[in-house]
Amino acid sequence: MKSPLILAALLLCGSLSALAQPSGDQVLSTRPSGQAVPAESTPPARDGAADRVLSTAPAQSDSAQAVTRTFEQRFPGIHVDAVRVTPMTGIFEVQVGMDLLYTDARVDYVLQGSMIDAHARRDLTAERLEALQQVAFGSLPLDHAIKQVKGTGARKVAVFEDPNCGYCKQLHRTLEDVDDVTVYTFLFPILTPDSATRSRDIWCAADPAKAWKAWMLDGQDPAKAECDTPIQANLALGRKLNVQGTPALFFADGTRVNGALPLDALKKKLDAQG
């Protein structure tokens, strides 16, 4: 959770960075700074009996518009993406990019943190963030990705990867022990100056999948090659999807995991796809 001082600084400079993650199996990812950061993948446990009307819902139009208008006046330069009512009387959820804030109807006070349903023991904020991060697998431009098929290829996962990402290489070593999966790799060079060059050489190789595997598993540099690539489009897509580090995995059921899952967790996640 961000401290009030950090929140104030972010609001004043007009930017919010999404740091909240649902709880679960620990995974590792690499961000552009090169710092390894823990991330989680599994959504919070829920009380099935409580899945009734306790999640946040869209606010009435007039109220939502009023809160949006006032919030943007209070904090110039910040764009509000959505406003929703919450189960807490008089409190609204404000979505700014992939961040959630809470405020009263007059935007006299702003809070950031987790809204907990004390009766059902549910983290409503984590549930909302999980829903916001879901991506329809069919909406991904898979023709911009390197495709690798193992076995039947029945199970599918798309991964945003940097060729110089150590945790991406760890993921591919893990995938060696996974059968019947299709992996779509979106080249996402964000870590080092030569990441873009190496990504280009791999994409432009006669057999990109072979060149990618040779580099990720065996450290074999691809031959220099030139061609049109989807790399800039991939970078734009990653920004749109709030990909802040590599690897970032997107599964067929719309869920995502930020980081390299261990083998058992990855198999469990793929098995859950049906």
Side-chain angles (χ1 to χ4, degrees), residues 32-57:
S33 63
Q35 178 183 7
V37 294
E40 288 86 26
S41 63
T42 306
R46 299 171 182 159
D47 183 345
D51 287 337
R52 299 189 298 273
V53 294
L54 298 178
S55 61
T56 53

Side-chain angles (χ1 to χ4, degrees), residues 147-154 181-183:
K147 181 179 180 180
Q148 299 177 81
V149 181
K150 293 191 65 180
T152 65
V181 62
T182 300
V183 181

Side-chain angles (χ1 to χ4, degrees), residues 40 55 60-61 75-76 156 171 183 254:
E40 288 86 26
S55 61
Q60 293 180 356
S61 178
F75 305 105
K156 295 177 173 60
L171 172 64
V183 181

